[in-house]
Amino acid sequence: MIVPVVKEILKADDQVALENRAAFDAAGVAAVNVMGSPGAGKTALIMAAVERLSPDVQPGVIAGGVASSLDADRFAARSIPVVQVHTGGCCMLDASMVHTALLHLDLPTLDLLFIENVGNLICPADYTVGADLNLVVPSVPEGHDKPYKYPDMFAAADIAVLNKADLLAGSGFNLGYFECGVRMVNPDVEIFHVSSRTGAGVEPWLEWLLQRLGKRTPELV
Amino acid sequence: MIVPVVKEILKADDQVALENRAAFDAAGVAAVNVMGSPGAGKTALIMAAVERLSPDVQPGVIAGGVASSLDADRFAARSIPVVQVHTGGCCMLDASMVHTALLHLDLPTLDLLFIENVGNLICPADYTVGADLNLVVPSVPEGHDKPYKYPDMFAAADIAVLNKADLLAGSGFNLGYFECGVRMVNPDVEIFHVSSRTGAGVEPWLEWLLQRLGKRTPELV
């Protein structure tokens, strides 16, 4: 007799993802699942976004990781509601972990929730957490071949935000090759180039994000 | 009744790792397990090493990944024996995958085998593949907080080779903070700074590596 344990567990987690989504909808919260390699700049990108929101768009953050609260500390220092989730060694956030984190957030007071996934280009692609949008953050120093080497991650994304674009000059990063790879696995993906450090490109990306999520954009400061 | 399936599978894989190690020893091959984030420069570092080996130190490569043969192609183009292993979506190489790859290499003709693990700072730390040495490749653009956020990877490493050191100036990367984090989880680790792109620091690192592995170093060209 074969017991398909893993399959059943995945199905249960998908059910929790639907519950998370229902909770977001009920509270009027738009949730973005932010994925990328270690050091791609997920935290910096989220920080660049929340710094540019007008006061009537209240952000919140769930920060996933295997250790430390360094990311969560950065948001807490700016009085942004944040929950740090340690995955117990797991290489991604799943819906149940997000569900538990939601118990520690006052969801109806939030408008925009960033779910910062574990730094990893493989595992998070296989799990839905119930977000409205899946966003992947590749970065220039990682090289232009990432969509070819990690196609599932780019296939799972609604939007790819190429970070550290200030390092493009002289890097050998071939934008055409990169974008061709992204569109090969995912013709519908939106691609933006930003530098969280300099701020270049952050506002057009954020404007698109807020429009897509049904949040008013004129509040952009 | 509880059946500890995962534990037993891990034990079986550990047994295969011992067999890999015995095969390396019998063939006089020193094997290095190279781990790091996507885009940290694992392939570039290995390439920088093999380009500097004298002709009587024969390298070989096992290149792990979830998709494409881009890494293996680079070695094959230089007539370096290489096997590309696709992990079937798995976020690391395990001993059994390496064991299978060894069937495609003429081990007695090799002296130094680089096992390039899947780009990931989490999963590969939990698996031994039977290598003589575990090497982690952090890189400057990933930021100085990686040992704090991914301690298990740095704890599992015998040596940390900080790549892309040519990007240190003006990056905000705090070397002292980085090295403190590495030594906090692993006081015995060796730390080197290199730039695979410029070649800076590659020879001192390679000399240490060959000495540690019992390979003669004067052959360095």
Side-chain angles (χ1 to χ4, degrees):
Chain A
M1 184 181 141
I2 294 168
V3 184
V5 177
V6 171
K7 195 175 173 189
E8 292 305 318
I9 287 174
L10 288 176
K11 271 189 190 165
D13 200 64
D14 285 350
Q15 182 58 40
V16 178
L18 291 174
E19 292 173 20
N20 290 348
R21 182 63 169 272
F24 298 142
D25 290 347
V29 171
V32 184
N33 178 23
V34 181
M35 302 176 284
S37 298
K42 297 178 292 299
T43 308
L45 183 72
I46 296 168
M47 191 64 82
V50 299
E51 283 173 348
R52 285 165 176 80
L53 292 172
S54 73
D56 59 347
V57 177
Q58 175 62 50
V61 178
I62 294 173
V66 290
S68 95
S69 63
L70 289 171
D71 291 339
D73 293 345
R74 290 170 67 180
F75 295 107
R78 293 181 178 241
S79 304
I80 295 162
V82 59
V83 180
Q84 175 78 50
V85 177
H86 285 161
T87 63
C90 270
C91 49
M92 81 291 150
L93 288 176
D94 66 18
S96 299
M97 296 178 201
V98 170
H99 194 78
T100 304
L102 292 180
L103 302 176
H104 301 272
L105 286 170
D106 188 8
L107 217 46
T109 66
L110 304 182
D111 300 297
L112 181 57
L113 177 65
F114 290 101
I115 301 168
E116 181 177 344
N117 220 306
V118 179
N120 200 301
L121 273 192
I122 301 170
C123 315
D126 289 335
Y127 287 77
T128 174
V129 294
D132 296 87
L133 203 71
N134 290 311
L135 185 156
V136 62
V137 188
S139 69
V140 168
E142 294 172 54
H144 49 216
D145 57 6
K146 290 301 152 293
Y148 301 89
K149 288 183 172 178
Y150 302 89
D152 289 356
M153 174 56 72
F154 289 86
D158 301 296
I159 172 173
V161 183
L162 179 64
N163 197 11
K164 308 190 190 182
D166 54 308
L167 299 178
L168 266 172
S171 67
F173 190 101
N174 185 326
L175 265 177
Y177 180 72
F178 170 76
E179 296 199 358
C180 176
V182 175
R183 296 202 192 286
M184 194 171 71
V185 297
N186 190 345
D188 302 322
V189 75
E190 291 285 331
I191 303 178
F192 288 86
H193 307 160
V194 309
S195 167
S196 303
R197 183 157 61 169
T198 68
V202 171
E203 294 205 0
W205 158 65
L206 187 55
E207 195 164 348
W208 180 92
L209 187 73
L210 294 173
Q211 276 186 343
R212 168 71 182 262
L213 295 171
K215 299 292 169 191
R216 283 181 304 151
T217 58
E219 292 91 346
L220 265 174
V221 289
Chain B
M1 184 180 141
I2 295 167
V3 185
V5 177
V6 172
K7 194 176 174 191
E8 292 304 319
I9 288 173
L10 288 176
K11 271 190 190 165
D13 201 62
D14 285 349
Q15 182 59 39
V16 177
L18 291 175
E19 291 173 21
N20 291 348
R21 182 63 170 272
F24 298 144
D25 289 346
V29 172
V32 184
N33 178 24
V34 181
M35 303 177 283
S37 298
K42 297 179 290 303
T43 309
L45 183 72
I46 296 169
M47 191 64 83
V50 300
E51 283 173 347
R52 284 165 177 81
L53 293 171
S54 72
D56 59 348
V57 178
Q58 175 61 51
V61 177
I62 294 173
V66 290
S68 95
S69 63
L70 290 171
D71 292 338
D73 293 346
R74 290 171 66 180
F75 295 108
R78 294 181 177 239
S79 303
I80 295 163
V82 59
V83 180
Q84 175 79 50
V85 177
H86 285 161
T87 62
C90 271
C91 49
M92 80 294 147
L93 289 176
D94 66 17
S96 299
M97 296 178 200
V98 171
H99 194 78
T100 304
L102 293 180
L103 302 174
H104 301 273
L105 286 170
D106 188 6
L107 216 49
T109 66
L110 304 182
D111 300 297
L112 182 57
L113 178 65
F114 290 101
I115 301 168
E116 182 178 343
N117 220 307
V118 178
N120 199 301
L121 273 193
I122 301 170
C123 315
D126 289 335
Y127 287 79
T128 174
V129 294
D132 296 87
L133 204 71
N134 291 310
L135 185 156
V136 62
V137 188
S139 68
V140 168
E142 293 171 56
H144 50 215
D145 57 6
K146 291 300 151 294
Y148 301 89
K149 288 183 173 177
Y150 303 89
D152 289 356
M153 174 57 73
F154 288 87
D158 302 295
I159 172 173
V161 183
L162 179 64
N163 197 10
K164 309 190 189 180
D166 54 308
L167 299 177
L168 266 172
S171 67
F173 190 101
N174 185 328
L175 265 179
Y177 180 72
F178 170 76
E179 297 199 357
C180 176
V182 176
R183 297 202 191 285
M184 194 171 70
V185 296
N186 190 344
D188 301 323
V189 75
E190 290 284 331
I191 304 177
F192 287 86
H193 309 161
V194 309
S195 166
S196 303
R197 182 158 62 170
T198 69
V202 172
E203 295 205 359
W205 158 65
L206 186 55
E207 194 164 348
W208 180 93
L209 186 74
L210 295 173
Q211 276 185 345
R212 167 71 182 260
L213 295 171
K215 300 291 172 193
R216 283 181 305 152
T217 58
E219 292 91 346
L220 267 174
V221 293

